[in-house]
Amino acid sequence: MRLYDVEISSRLLLGTAQYPSPLVLTDAIAASGCGVITVSLRRETANGGGGNGFWPLLQATGAHILPNTAGCHSAREAITTAQMAREVFGTNWIKLEVIGNADTLQPDPFALVEAARVLCADGFAVFPYTTEDLIVAERLLDAGCRVLMPWGAPIGSGRGLRHVDALTAMRGHFNGVPLIIDAGIGAPSQAAQAMEMGFDAVLLNTAVAKAGDPVAMAQAFGQAVAAGRLAFEAGLMPPRDMAVPSTPVLGMADLGLGGVR
Amino acid sequence: MRIDLNGIPTEVAAANLGDALMALGYGSTALATALNGVFIPAAGRATTLLHEGDRVEVLAPMQGG
């Protein structure tokens, strides 16, 4: 999979927040086989708190770093945060989040497009967290985005793909554009579903971090994403309205015992 | 002068952002700064003058989703 001209080995992208310990986090990253991990920026205390101890651990994983603008509620806020992230993390990749509502954490599509336009023009490789709205997606591509990240369900909800029809339409409409389902995935089966639908990758965090055994769950997600992708490439059978016997009927014995055929 | 540092009123004597961070104990290189909502690159901190009431944000890498 190529994202902004970078070859990524795994179609699972993993968030790094909410894990019970740094060791569980790094073990989960390794077990998932993910190729990209997301990070953020937060206020640092004067004596150097925990942030800078955390960063070398993630660098050592070898995964590509995707900083986010989580928590930003305006285009300006997101733009400044992206600029700060580019310097600290040494990458022009940015997961662009501009939140429109504090309760639903729904993207603000207007501010998102505005920020994407500024950041793309400034040389960023923008990964916009968006909805399944096709027109917003068009505008994001017009702004210079070469990857789109529609939500599956609200962030942290674990509800899976809430609007399957709309996501199917989006996949069909943007053939050739890398589409990553970002947010709302709660179970490996939901990740596999997204991959079977032809989405290029899945980004999740809470489902692994808050699992009973995050390392095992990370491995389960890695396998589900790989299986879903393989199934998509293999070509799923078309659904049928009626039952069709899989065992041949021709040549079946007539035992004269009253079976109705 | 008094500035707002990560949301906390803070007294600083230094005239520029670079010296202020040094005096406040920010030693790490993995920091990003903004002044009044505008990104200030590391190379520009020493030439960025501070004024009474300035809002300074100092951010570091953190876990994220």
Side-chain angles (χ1 to χ4, degrees):
Chain A
M1 173 178 65
R2 289 184 78 77
L3 301 174
Y4 285 100
D5 299 327
V6 176
E7 188 66 32
I8 303 295
S9 57
S10 167
R11 293 174 181 274
L12 175 62
L13 293 77
L14 196 60
T16 59
Q18 308 181 77
Y19 289 80
S21 74
L23 178 63
V24 172
L25 165 60
T26 51
D27 284 352
I29 291 170
S32 74
C34 71
V36 176
I37 51 177
T38 56
V39 293
S40 69
L41 284 175
R42 286 295 180 264
R43 285 173 165 173
E44 176 71 325
T45 53
N47 56 7
N52 286 315
F54 159 81
W55 176 219
L57 278 181
L58 289 191
Q59 286 177 299
T61 67
H64 285 268
I65 302 294
L66 178 58
N68 68 28
T69 63
C72 292
H73 283 253
S74 72
R76 268 199 67 191
E77 200 177 11
I79 291 164
T80 298
T81 302
Q83 291 167 333
M84 298 170 86
R86 179 164 60 179
E87 181 177 78
V88 167
F89 294 110
T91 176
N92 67 340
W93 281 21
I94 191 75
K95 174 184 165 180
L96 181 60
E97 285 185 45
V98 187
I99 300 301
N101 183 283
D103 291 327
T104 64
L105 301 181
Q106 186 167 348
D108 176 339
F110 307 100
L112 182 69
V113 171
E114 181 186 344
R117 187 174 294 118
V118 171
L119 291 172
C120 288
D122 191 21
F124 282 90
V126 177
F127 294 66
Y129 162 62
T130 184
T131 67
E132 61 283 307
D133 188 288
L134 299 183
I135 306 306
V136 173
E138 292 274 16
R139 296 291 183 273
L140 288 167
L141 295 176
D142 291 345
C145 298
R146 288 159 58 197
V147 173
L148 299 173
M149 301 210 298
W151 62 352
I155 294 171
S157 68
R159 303 296 294 274
L161 308 182
R162 302 305 291 164
H163 304 117
V164 171
D165 290 345
L167 287 170
T168 301
M170 187 179 199
R171 177 65 285 180
H173 194 72
F174 295 105
N175 189 24
V177 176
L179 298 181
I180 301 170
I181 295 291
D182 176 16
I185 297 292
S189 55
Q190 297 162 356
Q193 180 192 10
M195 298 307 295
E196 288 170 1
M197 290 167 64
F199 285 92
D200 294 274
V202 169
L203 197 169
L204 56 97
N205 188 151
T206 310
V208 168
K210 292 299 183 186
D213 181 343
V215 178
M217 188 61 81
Q219 187 178 1
F221 268 105
Q223 292 176 0
V225 167
R229 178 64 188 183
L230 191 58
F232 170 71
E233 291 172 349
L236 295 164
M237 64 163 280
R240 295 159 167 163
D241 291 333
M242 298 294 290
V244 179
S246 50
T247 302
V249 177
L250 189 67
M252 186 158 181
D254 182 359
L255 301 177
L257 296 177
V260 178
R261 302 211 170 87
Chain B
M1 80 188 99
R2 179 167 286 230
I3 63 170
D4 188 289
L5 177 71
N6 285 348
I8 300 169
T10 304
E11 201 67 39
V12 293
N16 66 65
L17 180 59
D19 288 348
L21 293 183
M22 194 83 74
L24 289 165
Y26 285 103
S28 167
T29 53
L31 292 174
T33 50
L35 175 65
N36 298 324
V38 176
F39 168 58
I40 305 295
R45 289 174 198 157
T47 54
T48 299
L49 299 180
L50 294 176
H51 301 92
E52 181 76 23
D54 274 348
R55 289 179 296 108
V56 173
E57 290 288 333
V58 182
L59 306 186
M62 189 55 60
Q63 296 91 330

